[in-house]
Amino acid sequence: AQSVSQHNHHVILSEAASLELGCNYSYGGTVNLFWYVQYPGQHLQLLLKYFSGDPLVKGIKGFEAEFIKSKFSFNLRKPSVQWSDTAEYFCAVMPYSGAGSYQLTFGKGTKLSVIP
Amino acid sequence: DTEVTQTPKHLVMGMTNKKSLKCEQHMGHRAMYWYKQKAKKPPELMFVYSYEKLSINESVPSRFSPECPNSSLLNLHLHALQPEDSALYLCASSQEGGSAQYFGPGTRLTVL
């Protein structure tokens, strides 16, 4: 079974600071990788996804993530955060194929607080 | 359109009640999911329907009973729940296995 580890429980940044949220996964095969965001009082939204190809993927709202296969990592980045980025961020992994390819496993989440 | 809708938004029920949660998507997705999310925790998978057939049941107690009447609808029937079942119940859908899952806003369930 796969597992996901998010290193930071709570990150506090000032506006315009750069953001990097760590995510590592454990799985013996090929995976699809995702970042989801949950704004206060809102539902989970897909931020970006990686299936194959260029390991640097761009998502919505200026976010990007880099897949480093050798490190089993999929870190989320944003050059300059805004107050509106305050939210909970979840990294998630899913086996690429087979019966497990329906099973999305989430990390415990990182709460981002951006101070104006 | 990546919208998954869920009703009701909030539900309060007693331990002897029977209620149902509903989920709908019109994206032509062939996989639909139920997740449970407790406060300050990530979502946990409960059930997966693929092509309208139950394909995954993550050892969920029988007081939760899923149903997929057609490719656009997913229900979760609730009976004799416990207070610890209080949580946000999320529905999601995806094109197929391995595809990105899109989540609905959830039903906030409180069991008294």
Side-chain angles (χ1 to χ4, degrees):
Chain A
Q2 62 271 25
S3 66
V4 180
S5 175
Q6 291 184 242
H7 314 302
N8 308 102
H9 178 63
H10 190 186
V11 173
I12 302 173
L13 294 173
S14 298
E15 275 193 316
S18 64
L19 170 72
E20 181 160 4
L21 301 183
C23 172
N24 286 89
Y25 69 92
S26 173
Y27 183 69
T30 304
V31 295
N32 294 333
L33 297 156
F34 307 87
W35 275 96
Y36 284 86
V37 61
Q38 194 166 29
Y39 297 102
Q42 296 190 27
H43 63 284
L44 274 169
Q45 299 176 40
L46 181 65
L47 205 51
L48 49 78
K49 59 193 178 193
Y50 174 79
F51 289 166
S52 63
D54 188 344
L56 185 62
V57 293
K58 295 191 183 300
I60 61 173
K61 306 186 180 185
F63 286 90
E64 64 179 29
E66 184 176 14
F67 171 51
I68 302 179
K69 189 175 182 180
S70 61
K71 295 184 178 181
F72 297 90
S73 70
F74 190 55
N75 292 352
L76 181 71
R77 300 195 292 248
K78 186 171 184 178
S80 175
V81 296
Q82 301 172 323
W83 177 78
S84 58
D85 293 324
T86 295
E88 187 95 24
Y89 292 81
F90 293 97
C91 180
V93 63
M94 177 193 298
Y96 176 73
S97 62
S101 65
Y102 295 94
Q103 293 178 292
L104 189 62
T105 300
F106 288 88
K108 292 187 176 181
T110 297
K111 181 179 179 180
L112 173 65
S113 298
V114 180
I115 303 169
Chain B
D1 182 10
T2 55
E3 188 177 11
V4 176
T5 59
Q6 290 187 242
T7 56
K9 289 185 178 180
H10 300 275
L11 179 62
V12 179
M13 59 186 292
M15 290 190 284
T16 58
N17 292 158
K18 286 185 180 181
K19 296 287 185 183
S20 296
L21 309 184
K22 297 184 184 300
C23 173
E24 190 168 4
Q25 57 89 12
H26 293 289
M27 296 178 278
H29 289 174
R30 302 315 303 263
M32 296 186 76
Y33 310 77
W34 280 115
Y35 286 84
K36 175 181 179 180
Q37 186 178 24
K38 301 284 271 186
K40 301 187 187 300
K41 299 286 187 184
E44 295 178 351
L45 183 65
M46 299 174 71
F47 302 104
V48 179
Y49 273 83
S50 175
Y51 291 85
E52 300 163 51
K53 293 184 179 178
L54 183 65
S55 62
I56 295 176
N57 176 340
E58 291 285 357
S59 303
V60 179
S62 59
R63 58 185 183 270
F64 295 91
S65 175
E67 178 196 17
C68 189
N70 60 55
S71 60
S72 299
L73 293 174
L74 187 65
N75 298 323
L76 185 63
H77 302 297
L78 315 172
H79 174 54
L81 295 193
Q82 304 296 311
E84 59 264 29
D85 296 321
S86 298
L88 182 67
Y89 288 84
L90 297 168
C91 175
S93 71
S94 69
Q95 190 87 20
E96 55 192 5
S99 303
Q101 295 181 18
Y102 294 90
F103 286 81
T107 294
R108 177 76 59 188
L109 174 67
T110 302
V111 182
L112 301 177

